[in-house]
């Protein structure tokens, strides 16, 4: 697998004093009844915004929300007030991206003031995935860039995208990394870049088996053991000859992903079988509505949807976690949103929290379990807010926006 080089990008510590800075955040959030909901991203990005404002810079923010045509595609006006609560100072909003209203609001900023522009995806030139040079040539970038002294990218979770606000501005302005970009990059590339003295363990689950199976294949010998659950776990059990990992009537989680990935699953299982730990039991909803469990060895036919790994599996996984020097989590082991089926996910998270190891919990869905079940985020080395970018970082694939932060100076020469 490719090994990421040590980052050479500049950070906000390197910004010249009294700069007018254009800052890309990722505030994409769940939307309920037309209103954005507060989440971890606001809290994380607030640190970058607060530091820039406290240093006396004029701070203009860009972010996106949803995609055109979807229910969550909406204005960022509500995001401004949520972010202001986290930053501890006013965040003004202008319903414009690079038109006259936006330019006037940008010019009017005083030192330490913060302004949020309208949803970047309301700009037609933002979304298509295109080469950075093409994005730098858009009217969007060419209009805004001359109004600023510097560009700061803090949107690590969108760093795998080639959108104008992510890859166009680093070619037009001196570019710097924000605090989220710094910390996410360091933690999420650790599996490819750092050396660990003891075993490295990866917990693999979730419903998007295609993503995590690709990670398992790419990581190879960088991980000493994989502890499986969720949809990926059932697909590996299917490859091992157990009658699970099939869709029941009314479900579509397994068969399509099996068709697309069974070759990889079987080859990974054959090549790294000793490193792959599969569930010994599975949990489902019993006739009385309570949690029920069955040993995998006793399953003759799949008749129920399996919603978690069983208690025996958690018992098997816990000592493997506790003797690890590093643990990376990608995906939940069960439907933890339902308390009946949270035992697997919460059980492994508790074991990690109690272990003195380097730990990264990746993906928004899995990290939500930390807050839902009263765990302390400080007990983990890093809780990532990234999804797709986390996957790519684990496999060592380059992230376009980060590559542009590194190469920005050379590209402008």
């Amino acid at each position: 697998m490719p090994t990421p080089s040590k980052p050479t990008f500049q950070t906000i510590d390197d910004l010249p004093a009294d700069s007018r800075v254009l800052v890309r955040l990722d505030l994409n959030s769940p939307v309920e009844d037309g209103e954005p909901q507060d989440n971890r991203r606001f809290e994380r990005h607030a640190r970058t915004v607060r530091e820039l404002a406290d240093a006396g810079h004029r701070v203009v923010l860009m972010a996106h929300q949803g995609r055109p045509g979807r229910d969550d595609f909406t204005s960022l006006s509500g995001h401004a007030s949520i972010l202001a609560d986290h930053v501890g100072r006013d965040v003004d909003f202008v319903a414009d991206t690079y038109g006259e209203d936006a330019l006037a609001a940008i010019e009017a900023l005083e030192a330490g003031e913060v302004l949020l522009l309208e949803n970047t995806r309301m700009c037609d030139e933002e979304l298509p995935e295109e080469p950075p040079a093409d994005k730098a040539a858009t009217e969007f970038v060419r209009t805004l860039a001359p109004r600023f002294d510097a560009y700061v990218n803090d949107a690590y979770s969108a760093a795998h995208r080639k959108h104008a606000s992510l890859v166009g501005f680093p070619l037009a302005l001196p570019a710097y990394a924000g605090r989220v970009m710094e910390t996410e990059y360091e933690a999420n590339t650790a599996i490819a870049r750092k050396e660990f003295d003891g075993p490295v363990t990866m917990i693999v689950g979730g419903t998007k088996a295609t993503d995590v199976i690709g990670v398992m294949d790419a990581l190879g010998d960088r991980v000493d053991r994989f502890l499986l659950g969720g949809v990926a776990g059932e697909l590996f059990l299917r490859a091992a000859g157990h009658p699970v990992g099939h869709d029941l009537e009314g479900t579509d989680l397994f068969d399509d992903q099996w068709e697309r990935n069974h070759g990889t699953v079987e080859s990974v299982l054959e090549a790294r079988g000793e490193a792959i730990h599969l569930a010994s039991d599975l949990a489902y909803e019993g006739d009385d509505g309570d949690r029920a469990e069955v040993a995998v060895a006793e399953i003759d036919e799949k008749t129920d949807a399996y919603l978690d790994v069983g208690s025996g599996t958690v018992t098997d996984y816990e000592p493997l976690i506790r003797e690890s020097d590093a643990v990376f989590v990608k995906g939940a082991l069960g439907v933890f949103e339902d308390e009946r089926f949270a035992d697997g996910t919460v059980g492994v998270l508790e074991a990690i929290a109690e272990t003195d190891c380097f730990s990264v919990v990746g993906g928004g869905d899995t990290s939500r379990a930390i807050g839902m079940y009263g765990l302390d985020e400080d007990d983990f080395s890093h809780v990532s807010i990234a999804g797709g970018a986390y996957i790519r970082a684990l496999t060592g694939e380059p992230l376009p926006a980060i590559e542009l932060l590194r190469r920005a100076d050379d590209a402008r020469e």
Side-chain angles (χ1 to χ4, degrees):
M1 61 177 285
T3 301
S5 59
K6 188 171 180 60
T8 57
F9 47 70
Q10 297 189 99
T11 73
I12 59 175
D13 292 324
D14 303 305
L15 271 171
D18 192 28
S19 293
R20 181 178 277 109
V21 292
L22 182 62
V23 186
R24 179 58 157 94
L25 310 178
D26 184 358
L27 302 178
N28 198 45
S29 309
V31 174
E32 297 178 8
D33 299 323
E35 295 296 325
Q37 303 301 298
D38 196 355
N39 64 19
R40 186 179 280 109
R41 288 180 173 174
F42 287 94
E43 177 187 355
R44 295 282 180 85
H45 286 301
R47 179 187 173 192
T48 297
V49 177
R50 187 184 309 113
E51 284 193 34
L52 290 170
D54 287 350
H57 299 298
R58 295 163 173 81
V59 185
V60 178
L61 310 174
M62 298 185 294
H64 73 273
Q65 175 61 55
R67 281 181 176 266
R70 297 184 182 176
D71 291 343
D72 63 347
F73 182 60
T74 185
S75 170
L76 297 186
S77 59
H79 297 65
S81 60
I82 297 174
L83 183 61
D85 289 340
H86 288 283
V87 174
R89 66 171 66 209
D90 291 341
V91 175
D92 294 330
F93 172 75
V94 59
D96 189 16
T97 50
Y98 67 98
E100 291 184 3
D101 290 346
L103 298 180
I106 291 167
E107 291 300 321
L109 275 183
E110 299 290 341
E113 292 184 338
V114 183
L115 171 70
L116 175 62
L117 303 179
E118 184 57 281
N119 189 342
T120 61
R121 292 182 176 176
M122 292 183 177
C123 170
D124 292 339
E125 295 175 318
E126 165 74 346
L127 270 182
E129 296 268 346
E130 294 173 335
D134 292 349
K135 290 303 189 185
T138 60
E139 183 181 3
F140 175 29
V141 174
R142 289 188 295 107
T143 301
L144 278 186
R147 271 74 180 179
F148 293 91
D149 303 306
Y151 168 77
V152 173
N153 193 340
D154 209 33
Y156 178 88
S157 51
H160 56 306
R161 304 294 188 190
K162 293 181 181 178
H163 297 159
S165 62
L166 297 161
V167 300
F169 288 101
L171 298 184
L173 287 164
Y176 303 81
R179 298 304 186 206
V180 171
M181 181 67 76
E182 275 189 273
T183 56
E184 289 275 0
Y185 180 89
E186 182 64 29
N188 297 342
T189 58
I191 200 167
R193 293 176 50 240
K194 291 184 70 170
E195 295 294 330
F196 297 102
D197 295 331
V200 176
T201 298
M202 172 165 278
I203 296 168
V204 176
T207 59
K208 296 179 180 178
T210 298
D211 287 345
V212 294
I213 290 167
V215 169
M216 292 175 66
D217 187 37
L219 286 174
D221 293 338
R222 298 291 300 179
V223 173
D224 298 295
R225 57 249 184 142
F226 297 92
L227 313 183
L228 270 64
V231 172
E234 279 201 53
L235 293 182
F236 271 84
L237 284 170
R238 178 173 174 174
H242 298 284
V244 299
H246 301 270
D247 280 320
L248 300 174
E249 185 177 353
T251 66
D252 59 358
L253 285 174
F254 298 95
D255 292 336
D256 179 61
Q257 295 197 76
W258 172 260
E259 288 302 314
R260 285 185 280 145
N261 298 290
H262 69 87
T264 303
V265 171
E266 290 163 351
S267 66
V268 170
L269 194 59
E270 181 178 357
R272 302 288 317 281
E274 77 289 346
I276 296 172
H277 297 260
L278 304 177
S280 59
D281 53 356
L282 297 167
Y284 62 97
E285 184 178 43
D287 293 337
D288 58 0
D290 291 336
R291 178 188 175 103
E293 298 186 356
V294 60
V296 170
E298 297 177 1
I299 300 173
D300 296 319
E301 179 185 2
K302 182 177 181 179
T303 58
D304 296 283
Y306 299 115
L307 304 174
D308 193 12
V309 298
S311 55
T313 300
V314 177
T315 299
D316 293 340
Y317 286 177
E318 283 181 343
L320 298 175
I321 292 169
R322 294 181 191 280
E323 66 185 39
S324 296
D325 195 34
V327 181
F328 295 82
V329 181
K330 183 62 185 88
L333 298 188
V335 185
F336 68 84
E337 295 87 349
D338 185 330
E339 190 173 352
R340 296 172 299 170
F341 303 107
D343 291 6
T345 301
V346 175
V348 297
L349 289 175
E350 287 177 339
I352 295 168
E354 295 166 3
T355 301
D356 184 19
C357 67
F358 179 84
S359 58
V360 179
V361 179
D365 287 344
T366 312
S367 62
R368 279 195 299 118
I370 293 173
M372 285 181 64
Y373 291 96
L375 296 167
D376 188 344
E377 193 169 310
D378 290 340
D379 289 331
F380 304 88
S381 303
H382 183 65
V383 178
S384 177
I385 58 174
Y390 179 60
I391 287 285
R392 292 185 69 159
L394 289 177
T395 60
E397 291 183 61
L399 298 168
I402 290 176
E403 294 303 305
L404 263 294
L405 285 178
R406 289 200 189 103
R407 301 199 306 263
D409 289 337
D410 291 340
R412 284 195 302 274
E413 291 178 356

